[in-house]
Amino acid sequence: MATIERSTLMFITVIAALVGAWAAWTAKAGHDPVTVGSIVYGVVAGGLAKLFRGGATATVVRSLLLIVGGVLGLVASLLLGRAAGIYLTPSTA
């Protein structure tokens, strides 16, 4: 099993996230958008991993961890900003 480089992993993550979000957005009535988006994300990430000659399962897991790390980083910076008295408020200027 070949390992995929970080730049390729980032490319796979961005493409899979965009396609998954599009699939969730356009999900037909009666289908759960979160489930549809997640399944499409996994299939696209796995397919792109195979296209780049890497392990599909390992790439999907690494890609998901990359997204989770990004979300946790964003939440942490918002919480630290709030603790420092910095609030994001809309401006009408």
Side-chain angles (χ1 to χ4, degrees), residues 56-89:
T57 305
T59 301
V60 171
V61 169
R62 288 176 64 201
S63 178
L64 286 173
L65 288 174
L66 187 62
I67 289 176
V68 168
V71 169
L72 289 177
L74 179 67
V75 169
S77 32
L78 288 173
L79 289 175
L80 285 172
R82 185 173 180 179
I86 303 169
Y87 297 96
L88 298 176
T89 56

Side-chain angles (χ1 to χ4, degrees), residues 11-32:
F11 174 74
I12 289 171
T13 301
V14 168
I15 297 299
L18 289 174
V19 174
W22 175 79
W25 184 267
T26 60
K28 305 258 186 219
H31 297 289
D32 182 28

